[in-house]
């Protein structure tokens, strides 16, 4: 009787992509408590502030119908990198934004960039690295790295707001995004 050998799917490229997913998820999910805390500069307008927070959530699904086109028409890794660069730009401009309407559109754009980033990284690049027999397992573990980003991002923001201040938390989220880009760029796929 012959026992089946487990198929190994963890390798350096896969591990780096999971780490990139975690870092970007932490940085994007830190924006929910960050923005909620920093909206005091816009005055007391709870309804408009809620719209801004909703903009980030809606933005994540905004470009969903076009994701397949993006990864087919352009290089998959390039789509991922460009969306990450756009997310970095949104974070930079959003940290200095002083208008509520501008913040809404920046958060909407940041959500759209995050959605394209996640789809190009998770649905295409990760699957390009995995063999077909282990695709479900690779997607499963990759997804968990992104899910851990939600509590870690919120925790980072809540802790950071009291420990280092709102501006420095923005810098930390920006640093996580730049680190993700630097980790992702050298990978050959």
């Amino acid at each position: 009787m012959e026992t089946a050998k487990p198929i190994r799917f963890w390798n350096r490229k896969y591990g780096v992509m999971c780490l990139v997913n975690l870092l970007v998820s932490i940085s994007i999910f830190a924006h929910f408590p960050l923005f909620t805390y920093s909206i005091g500069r816009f005055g007391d307008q709870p309804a408009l502030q809620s719209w801004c927070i909703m903009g980030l959530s809606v933005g994540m699904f905004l470009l969903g119908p076009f994701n397949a086109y993006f990864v087919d028409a352009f290089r998959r890794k390039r789509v991922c990198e460009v969306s990450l660069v756009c997310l970095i730009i949104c974070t930079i401009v959003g940290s200095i934004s002083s208008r509520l309407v501008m913040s809404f559109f920046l958060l909407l754009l940041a959500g759209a960039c995050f959605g394209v980033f996640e789809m190009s990284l998770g649905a295409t690049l990760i699957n390009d690295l995995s063999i077909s027999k282990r695709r479900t397992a690779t997607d499963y573990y990759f997804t968990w790295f992104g899910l851990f980003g939600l509590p870690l991002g919120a925790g980072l923001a809540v802790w950071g707001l009291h420990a280092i201040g709102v501006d420095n938390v923005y810098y930390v989220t920006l640093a996580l995004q730049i680190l993700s880009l630097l980790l992702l760029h050298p990978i050959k796929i």
Side-chain angles (χ1 to χ4, degrees):
M1 180 156 85
E2 203 176 306
T3 59
K5 292 182 182 178
I7 301 171
R8 186 179 165 155
F9 62 90
W10 282 96
N11 57 39
R12 189 183 69 79
K13 288 180 182 179
Y14 178 72
V16 168
M17 291 215 180
C18 287
L19 179 62
V20 166
N21 185 27
L22 176 68
L23 295 176
V24 173
S25 295
I26 289 171
S27 73
I28 199 76
F29 291 124
H31 284 148
F32 285 104
L34 247 182
F35 186 74
T36 303
Y37 182 81
S38 64
I39 49 180
R41 63 184 172 203
F42 300 124
D44 190 24
Q45 304 171 16
L48 293 176
Q49 296 163 0
S50 298
W51 276 98
C52 286
I53 293 171
M54 187 183 74
L56 182 64
S57 303
V58 169
M60 291 182 196
F61 300 99
L62 194 63
L63 295 178
F66 304 105
N67 280 329
Y69 168 74
F70 291 149
V71 295
D72 284 340
F74 308 103
R75 293 186 59 224
R76 295 170 176 190
K77 187 176 168 202
R78 185 66 60 203
V79 170
C80 188
E81 289 173 337
V82 168
S83 63
L84 188 52
V85 168
C86 290
L87 185 59
I88 290 169
I89 292 169
C90 287
T91 302
I92 292 170
V93 176
S95 68
I96 58 174
S97 171
S98 62
R99 302 258 183 219
L100 193 60
V101 174
M102 184 176 173
S103 292
F104 171 77
F105 286 111
L106 282 171
L107 288 169
L108 188 71
L109 182 59
C113 292
F114 180 68
V116 171
F117 169 81
E118 279 294 314
M119 288 305 298
S120 61
L121 184 67
T124 57
L125 294 177
I126 285 293
N127 287 334
D128 289 346
L129 288 177
S130 62
I131 57 175
S132 60
K133 291 181 182 180
R134 296 299 292 176
R135 211 161 265 161
T136 300
T138 56
D139 287 343
Y140 176 80
Y141 290 113
F142 175 80
T143 301
W144 273 105
F145 274 86
L147 290 175
F148 283 135
L150 178 60
L152 291 175
L156 167 73
V158 170
W159 169 82
L161 288 170
H162 300 291
I164 59 177
V166 66
D167 291 335
N168 290 329
V169 178
Y170 272 112
Y171 298 143
V172 169
T173 61
L174 182 62
L176 291 174
Q177 293 169 2
I178 292 171
L179 177 63
S180 297
L181 184 63
L182 293 174
L183 288 171
L184 182 65
H185 185 69
I187 293 178
K188 304 283 188 224
I189 297 179

